[in-house]
Amino acid sequence: MRTAVIVLPTYNESKNITEVLERIFNVAKTIDQWTIHVLVVDSNSPDKTSEIVKKLQNKYTSLSLLITEKEGLGQAYIHGFSKALETLHPYVLFEMDADLSHNPNDIPKFLKKIEEGADFVVGSRYILGGSIPANWGLHRKLFSILGNWIVRLGFMKLSVTEWTNGYRAIKSWVVKKHLDDLKGYTGYVFQVALLDNALKSGAKIQEIPVNFTDRVKGSSKIDSVEYIYQTLKYVFLNSSFIKFAIVGGIGFIIDFGISYVFIENLKIVVWMTTIISAETAIISNFYLNNQWSFKHKRLSRSESSLLWSFLKFNIIASGSLIIQTVGMSVTTHIFGLEYWYLYKVIIIIFVIIPYSYFFYNKLVWKDK
Ligand code: GDD
Ligand code: MN
């Protein structure tokens, strides 16, 4: 039988821990194909959460406790995952809040997705059937919805609707592979970092709907300002899409710079200048994307395949050129020349960037 370990981080959850454990173990009784083990990771809660857990260990045989320093939610998970991997040999690790915001009755649904082949199951509040609490005020709702959208768009990974909610089931190999990479993310941003790492290593992500309920007892430990800052910083530093856009910007500067010098100073003919400047930018884009934006799927060094990829890259880039030429002709034909630069910016942002990002991902730096 396979083992699933539910890692339950707690900080001052003395009012919730008894009920959440009771509900988890009640559900566990109904699951035949899995052994369910719970590991509570308590950051030395002053309210003595750990004392309650110790007592409950007499009642539940599959309950472990790890006491750590107070170093943030992410750090609690890192310690909990390491300990679970070392001592309990799990096939699957769960992340779950201990304040009953996450309904233990959903556990079998997560396991079913794993059985069906998922590597990483996300409990999403934003797909059909999922929800955030109806009683949340407008700006809390907005904060949560917008936050998730910013991360989705920042990574240009629209297929994942939920990045922040910490209710997940993850195959052990995924966690094992990334535990070291995650060490710097000690706070709530850990959730985003873990999912991003899993996606980059090609883990198969699946979502199930969950209804997030507000905690009734105790209080949230999240520091919103710090959390927003860390999350935006993470997305900015780790998004292939943002790096790709920056590389495109550098390409534009190269193209423009060469054109300027060739035409203004060297008096080289325009058609020749354009070929040289555009191709130099394309080579720079190809190199920087391979080294930086898509480094997690860097192309193999074998000469023929690299050449072939470069050729495909050129074809896609030529596509951009054609789209832009047609787009500019059509828009200026319809609306006149007056705002041509506006059309150009709109076409680049809404057509060229998504188009090339999509095809580079599909044809050159293929998803694993
Ligand atoms: N061990 C430990 N150490 N546990 C912690 C710590 C810590 O420093 N900080 C928080 N926890 C525990 C809480 O006791 C609770 O069980 C769980 O982590 C979630 O913390 P809450 O304080 O209830 O935060 P939340 O409800 O705002 O967090 C939820 O939403 C976040 C943002 O969407 C969770 O789902 C988070 O995982 C999520 O990132
Ligand atoms: Mn909570």
Side-chain angles (χ1 to χ4, degrees), residues 7-75:
V7 178
L8 210 59
T10 55
Y11 189 71
N12 288 344
E13 299 292 0
S14 61
K15 298 196 182 94
N16 294 309
I17 192 67
T18 309
E19 186 180 344
V20 74
L21 288 173
E22 185 183 334
R23 292 192 48 195
I24 292 172
F25 284 115
N26 276 338
V27 175
K29 275 187 230 157
T30 69
I31 303 172
D32 301 326
Q33 300 86 346
W34 293 79
T35 306
I36 307 288
H37 201 106
V38 178
L39 170 63
V40 174
V41 185
D42 184 62
S43 293
N44 239 325
S45 303
D47 76 348
K48 302 258 163 47
T49 305
S50 60
E51 296 302 318
I52 302 173
V53 177
K54 278 178 198 159
K55 288 202 187 95
L56 289 170
Q57 282 182 307
N58 299 319
K59 184 172 173 190
Y60 307 115
T61 47
S62 319
L63 174 61
S64 308
L65 171 66
L66 176 67
I67 299 177
T68 65
E69 297 296 305
K70 171 101 181 71
E71 296 163 322
L73 179 65
Q75 195 64 10

Side-chain angles (χ1 to χ4, degrees), residues 28-255:
K29 275 187 230 157
T30 69
I31 303 172
D32 301 326
Q33 300 86 346
W34 293 79
T35 306
I36 307 288
H37 201 106
V38 178
L39 170 63
V40 174
V41 185
D42 184 62
S43 293
N44 239 325
S45 303
D47 76 348
K48 302 258 163 47
T49 305
S50 60
E51 296 302 318
I52 302 173
V53 177
K54 278 178 198 159
K55 288 202 187 95
L56 289 170
Q57 282 182 307
N58 299 319
K59 184 172 173 190
Y60 307 115
T61 47
S62 319
L63 174 61
S64 308
L65 171 66
L66 176 67
I67 299 177
T68 65
E69 297 296 305
K70 171 101 181 71
E71 296 163 322
L73 179 65
Q75 195 64 10
Y77 271 122
I78 289 169
H79 287 310
F81 285 158
S82 311
K83 160 113 186 210
L85 289 169
E86 276 163 31
T87 58
L88 298 162
H89 312 293
Y91 185 71
V92 165
L93 288 156
F94 270 79
E95 288 189 331
M96 187 176 177
D97 293 350
D99 57 359
L100 289 162
S101 285
H102 297 149
N103 187 344
N105 293 340
D106 291 334
I107 293 168
K109 293 182 211 155
F110 281 92
L111 291 173
K112 187 157 174 282
K113 283 281 176 202
I114 294 281
E115 287 162 6
E116 287 168 5
D119 299 314
F120 193 121
V121 187
V122 174
S124 172
R125 299 167 291 183
Y126 300 111
I127 48 168
L128 197 67
S131 64
I132 50 178
N135 64 323
W136 273 7
L138 183 65
H139 58 266
R140 187 139 179 227
K141 278 184 183 157
L142 270 181
F143 174 70
S144 180
I145 295 168
L146 279 180
N148 263 290
W149 264 105
I150 289 172
V151 180
R152 275 171 92 182
L153 286 175
F155 285 121
M156 239 334 133
K157 199 86 206 170
L158 302 185
S159 56
V160 181
T161 66
E162 171 77 76
W163 285 81
T164 51
N165 188 27
Y167 197 9
R168 298 154 164 185
I170 313 155
K171 278 190 186 155
S172 294
W173 70 261
V174 180
V175 174
K176 237 181 244 167
K177 191 165 170 189
H178 296 295
L179 217 46
D180 280 339
D181 309 321
L182 293 166
K183 293 239 157 89
Y185 307 106
T186 55
Y188 284 77
V189 69
F190 174 83
Q191 305 292 15
V192 174
L194 173 58
L195 183 50
D196 176 48
N197 272 278
L199 274 163
K200 283 181 176 152
S201 68
K204 191 160 168 244
I205 316 282
Q206 289 267 307
E207 294 189 322
I208 61 164
V210 297
N211 300 295
F212 187 96
T213 47
D214 238 348
R215 67 156 73 233
V216 180
K217 294 170 181 156
S219 56
S220 172
K221 285 91 204 174
I222 204 160
D223 173 347
S224 304
V225 175
E226 173 71 7
Y227 178 50
I228 295 170
Y229 168 70
Q230 293 292 346
T231 304
L232 291 179
K233 184 170 135 192
Y234 184 88
V235 174
F236 187 76
L237 293 178
N238 294 280
S239 160
S240 291
F241 179 67
I242 292 174
K243 290 178 185 170
F244 159 82
I246 293 173
V247 167
I250 295 171
F252 174 79
I253 294 169
I254 291 175
D255 190 339

Side-chain angles (χ1 to χ4, degrees), residues 244 294 316-317 320 351-361:
F244 159 82
F294 299 113
I316 298 167
S320 297
V351 186
I352 299 297
I353 292 180
Y355 152 85
S356 36
Y357 188 71
F358 178 81
F359 281 106
Y360 292 152
N361 269 295

